[in-house]
């Protein structure tokens, strides 16, 4: 018999990337799933990985309900983000691949923080251990624990796919970059890999997304608020918004302007710009400045609730007090101040979506007031971006990563913006209301990119999944041997066919004219054979070279 091998893409099923929770500022990307099919676990991790320090319990969740018991089933890891993680859940792609699903809780969020006796969420502990690097080391430890929980023969390890959206989309990318032996690939949705220090483009995306008429109404209100503050009447505007906690505090003016800017931005960010613009249209252009400002407060109350304007994230006095501050708000602000920045400054007075008071100096001063000195607020974060590659992580060695972004997302300019090679692909979804992490995107609008993501996952996992043709030989009896290079999709057929680089997107190793019946199967890493679904085996696999050992 002759054999031909065909690498086929899986049926495209949309991935589900939960949008960031609007109750947590900016772009929290953790889903608090109500379906409790997962179990909670924890590992001990040190506060600091670089010096002796107390340990604390880091929480993670495992959902094995889709696992079919097979030794080659992958592990799908959802990266921890800037909020609590209360469960793990499996996507359609996880179900298609019989994956073991894991949700990591990021250190210093949720229940994963040192006890009060060890300093809790103190600035000292933040300096010692709240960083992108420490989160990556935690994730590596969790993956090792799950590998031990679901062992395979001969000390082999299961393939691992990492997933994340927004900040956790960034950490997914960075983890794949720095820990390629623990992660076979990453799917990043709205992943903010480019840690922009002075992020003026945040508002330029919003301005384009909402359109000229709506953006002018926003700009008029912002200019009116600035005018009240310049004439010493800022406290009356704070009281109108029920932000009495910001009256006469040291950073109260900048805090208030930050809240107003975010309040506007997040409505667009999560795919609901129509609600914002329709609300602004309820007041005529001829209305007084005060009436327009009051209408914006009504929009905030209707969308977020009355508590939003008094939120701890927008109150430097609250954030400064580690004992009473909201944990997620304080921890995320530290990460902004110390590493990732994303300081959203006003682009210019003409058409600005935020107050001119929100300068780089003012935002840096907030950081210094809350935490004391910090690297980002005194000298920028050029070193961080040089390590992780900024907008082009492929330039510092990134492979096997699929990135997505969406047209109306103000974080879009901080994400990967283009495909840079066969193993670092990118997909952009443009539609009216396409928000952060796919918020506001219909199944039809997202089908193209989500389908490509599914194909990418299948390609990365192709080291253990094949489809092939069982060929009836016209000449009788000849077999071909193959070599498989795991993790690179390189297949070498021993014979006259040479080496064939199998793309992760529906490319095939197809020997024209041989005919045959298409059959699906799996490459059994332990046994070094391909087992087709009908029970036939192909034992002529002469070698398998694993990227994990390189």
């Amino acid at each position: 018999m002759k054999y031909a091998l065909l690498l086929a893409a899986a049926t495209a099923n949309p991935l589900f990337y939960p949008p960031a929770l609007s109750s947590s500022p900016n772009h929290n990307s953790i889903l608090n799933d109500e379906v409790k099919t997962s179990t909670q676990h924890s590992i001990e991790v040190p506060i600091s990985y670089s010096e002796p320090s107390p340990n604390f319990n880091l929480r993670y969740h495992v959902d094995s309900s889709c696992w079919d018991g097979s030794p080659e089933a992958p592990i799908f890891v959802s990266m921890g983000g800037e909020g609590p993680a209360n469960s793990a859940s499996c996507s359609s792609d996880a179900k298609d691949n019989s994956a073991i699903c894991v949700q990591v809780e990021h250190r210093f969020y949720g229940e994963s923080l040192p006890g009060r006796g060890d300093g809790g969420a103190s600035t000292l502990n933040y300096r010692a251990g709240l960083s992108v690097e420490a989160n990556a080391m935690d994730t590596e430890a969790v993956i090792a624990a799950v590998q031990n929980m679901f062992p395979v023969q001969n000390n082999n390890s299961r393939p691992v796919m990492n997933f994340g959206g927004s900040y956790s989309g960034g950490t997914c990318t960075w983890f794949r970059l720095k820990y390629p032996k623990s992660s076979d690939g990453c799917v990043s949705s709205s992943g903010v890999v480019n840690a922009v220090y002075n992020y003026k483009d945040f508002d330029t995306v919003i301005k384009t997304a909402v359109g000229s008429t709506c953006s002018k109404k926003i700009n008029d209100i912002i200019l009116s608020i600035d005018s009240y503050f310049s004439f010493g009447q800022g406290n009356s505007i704070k009281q109108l918004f029920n932000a009495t906690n910001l009256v006469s505090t040291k950073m109260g003016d900048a805090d208030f302007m930050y809240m107003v800017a975010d309040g506007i931005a997040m409505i667009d960010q999560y795919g609901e710009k129509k609600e914002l613009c329709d609300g602004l249209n309820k007041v005529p252009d001829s209305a007084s400045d005060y009436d327009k400002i009051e209408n914006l407060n009504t929009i905030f109350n209707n969308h977020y609730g009355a508590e939003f304007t008094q939120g701890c994230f927008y109150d430097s006095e609250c954030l400064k007090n580690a004992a009473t501050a909201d944990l997620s708000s304080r921890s995320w602000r530290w990460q902004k101040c110390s590493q990732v920045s994303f300081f959203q400054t006003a682009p210019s007075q003409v058409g600005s979506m935020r107050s001119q008071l929100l300068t780089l100096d003012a935002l840096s001063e907030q950081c210094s007031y809350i935490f004391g000195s910090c690297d980002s607020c005194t000298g920028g974060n050029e070193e961080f971006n040089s390590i992780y590659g900024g907008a082009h992580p492929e330039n510092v060695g990134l492979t096997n990563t699929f990135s997505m972004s969406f047209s109306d997302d103000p974080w879009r300019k901080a994400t990967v913006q283009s495909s840079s090679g066969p193993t670092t692909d990118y997909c952009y979804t443009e539609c009216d209301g396409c928000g952060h992490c796919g918020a506001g995107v219909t199944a039809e609008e997202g089908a193209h990119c989500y389908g490509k993501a599914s194909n990418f996952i299948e390609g990365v996992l192709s080291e253990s999944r094949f489809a092939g043709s069982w060929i009836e030989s016209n000449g009788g009896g000849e077999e071909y041997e193959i070599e498989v290079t795991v993790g690179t999709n390189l297949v070498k057929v021993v014979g006259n066919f040479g080496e064939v680089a199998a793309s992760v997107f529906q490319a095939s190793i197809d020997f024209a004219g041989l005919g045959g019946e298409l059959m699906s199967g799996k490459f059994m890493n332990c046994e070094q054979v391909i087992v087709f679904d009908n029970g036939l085996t192909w034992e002529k696999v002469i070698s398998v070279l694993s990227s994990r050992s390189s």
Side-chain angles (χ1 to χ4, degrees):
M1 286 187 174
K2 292 184 179 180
Y3 301 94
L5 185 68
L6 176 67
L7 181 65
T11 302
N13 289 316
L15 296 171
F16 176 60
Y17 292 97
L21 300 178
S22 57
S23 60
S24 187
N26 289 290
H27 53 271
N28 189 326
S29 53
I30 295 300
L31 174 66
N32 293 307
D33 193 355
E34 295 180 358
V35 180
K36 305 298 182 183
T37 59
S38 60
T39 55
Q40 180 174 309
H41 306 268
S42 66
I43 56 171
E44 282 196 356
V45 294
I47 294 174
S48 171
Y49 279 96
S50 60
E51 58 189 29
S53 61
N55 291 341
F56 66 94
N57 287 329
L58 186 119
R59 189 167 64 146
Y60 66 98
H61 304 269
V62 177
D63 182 351
S64 59
S65 61
C66 296
W67 181 44
D68 60 3
S70 63
E72 67 272 11
I75 299 171
F76 279 19
V77 178
S78 294
M79 301 293 290
E82 62 281 36
N86 295 325
S87 68
S89 59
C90 292
S91 67
S92 59
D93 282 277
K95 295 172 184 176
D96 288 344
N97 288 281
S98 303
I100 299 158
C101 305
V102 178
Q103 172 68 66
V104 181
E105 185 167 76
H106 197 297
R107 57 172 45 214
F108 290 93
Y109 293 93
E111 298 178 10
S112 298
L113 77 159
R116 288 182 180 273
D118 291 324
S122 66
T123 299
L124 184 65
N125 279 348
Y126 282 174
R127 293 184 190 279
L130 179 49
S131 65
V132 166
E133 291 78 12
N135 170 62
M137 286 185 271
D138 292 344
T139 304
E140 183 187 37
V142 169
I143 290 173
V146 177
Q147 292 278 17
N148 289 333
M149 195 181 300
F150 299 92
V152 294
Q153 296 177 1
N154 301 325
N155 293 320
N156 289 324
S157 57
R158 297 178 182 277
V160 175
M161 288 294 304
N162 293 75
F163 300 84
S166 192
Y167 165 67
S168 65
T171 62
C172 177
T173 303
W174 299 326
F175 185 77
R176 166 62 193 165
L177 173 65
K178 295 299 182 181
Y179 294 88
K181 292 184 179 181
S182 296
S183 170
D184 294 284
C186 160
V187 176
S188 171
S189 180
S190 297
V192 285
V193 296
N194 188 14
V196 184
Y197 181 57
N198 187 3
Y199 192 24
K200 293 184 177 182
D201 280 338
F202 189 87
D203 282 0
T204 62
V205 175
I206 298 172
K207 183 177 179 180
T208 300
V210 300
S212 58
T213 300
C214 188
S215 65
K216 184 179 186 307
K217 290 180 181 291
I218 295 170
N219 179 241
D220 288 347
I221 294 172
I222 295 299
L223 292 177
S224 297
I225 292 175
D226 277 357
S227 180
Y228 271 93
F229 274 73
S230 67
F231 286 104
Q233 300 178 45
N235 284 342
S236 66
I237 300 300
K238 293 175 187 176
Q239 289 167 347
L240 171 65
F241 280 77
N242 196 34
T244 53
N245 54 313
L246 304 181
V247 172
S248 301
T249 61
K250 178 176 175 57
M251 301 304 302
D253 289 359
D255 288 344
F256 178 80
M257 296 304 188
Y258 195 173
M259 179 273 296
V260 170
D262 253 15
I264 293 168
M266 287 193 296
I267 299 177
D268 165 69
Q269 179 172 318
Y270 295 110
E272 297 175 300
K273 65 182 181 182
K274 186 177 185 301
E275 176 189 339
L276 171 65
C277 297
D278 286 350
L280 295 175
N281 284 331
K282 290 181 179 179
V283 173
D285 292 339
S286 59
S288 68
D289 290 347
Y290 189 88
D291 286 345
K292 293 177 182 177
I293 296 171
E294 187 176 35
N295 182 52
L296 181 63
N297 179 53
T298 299
I299 292 171
F300 284 2
N301 285 338
N302 291 339
H303 187 80
Y304 300 109
E307 301 81 11
F308 170 75
T309 56
Q310 291 191 335
C312 185
F313 188 79
Y314 307 107
D315 184 348
S316 295
E317 298 298 329
C318 177
L319 293 173
K320 191 174 185 179
N321 189 336
T324 59
D326 172 72
L327 177 63
S328 294
S329 295
R330 177 173 160 83
S331 293
W332 178 238
R333 184 62 72 91
W334 167 260
Q335 291 196 259
K336 281 172 62 74
C337 291
S338 64
Q339 277 193 311
V340 297
S341 299
F342 300 122
F343 293 147
Q344 296 141 352
T345 58
S348 67
Q349 187 171 7
V350 179
S352 178
M353 302 290 100
R354 67 187 56 226
S355 169
Q356 295 300 301
L357 291 177
L358 292 177
T359 63
L360 194 58
D361 286 343
L363 296 173
S364 298
E365 187 181 0
Q366 282 180 320
C367 290
S368 298
Y369 181 73
I370 297 165
F371 301 113
S373 63
C374 57
D375 294 340
S376 229
C377 33
T378 54
N381 60 347
E382 293 87 354
E383 183 179 358
F384 181 88
N385 278 326
S386 68
I387 292 171
Y388 293 101
H392 295 282
E394 74 280 358
N395 289 344
V396 291
L398 179 70
T399 59
N400 275 17
T401 301
F402 184 83
S403 303
M404 293 182 285
S405 66
F406 305 87
S407 58
D408 287 2
D409 179 13
W411 294 101
R412 173 166 58 84
K413 294 295 184 72
T415 69
V416 167
Q417 296 288 290
S418 62
S419 297
S420 57
T423 66
T424 51
D425 202 3
Y426 166 76
C427 195
Y428 174 67
T429 300
E430 183 171 4
C431 66
D432 189 23
C434 287
H436 193 57
C437 295
V441 178
T442 66
E444 182 179 1
E445 291 165 340
H448 173 66
C449 287
Y450 293 153
K452 288 187 70 175
S454 296
N455 293 342
F456 170 81
I457 294 167
E458 184 69 15
V460 171
L461 297 178
S462 64
E463 63 181 76
S464 60
R465 294 185 182 274
F466 292 87
S469 295
W470 195 270
I471 303 300
E472 292 294 340
S473 170
N474 293 327
E478 187 174 6
E479 294 181 348
Y480 293 99
E481 297 178 331
I482 65 168
E483 294 179 345
V484 181
T485 304
V486 174
T488 64
N489 296 316
L490 184 68
V491 178
K492 181 179 180 181
V493 181
V494 179
N496 297 323
F497 300 107
E499 293 184 359
V500 183
S503 165
V504 295
F505 298 115
Q506 297 185 351
S508 65
I509 304 163
D510 191 4
F511 308 127
L514 295 178
E517 178 187 356
L518 181 66
M519 298 189 302
S520 297
K522 295 180 180 179
F523 170 69
M524 308 299 286
N525 193 43
C526 299
E527 293 81 7
Q528 304 282 286
V529 299
I530 293 175
V531 179
F532 292 103
D533 292 344
N534 63 2
L536 294 173
T537 61
W538 188 1
E539 299 178 355
K540 294 295 184 178
V541 181
I542 60 174
S543 64
V544 179
L545 307 176
S546 173
S547 62
R548 292 179 183 276
S549 61
S550 60

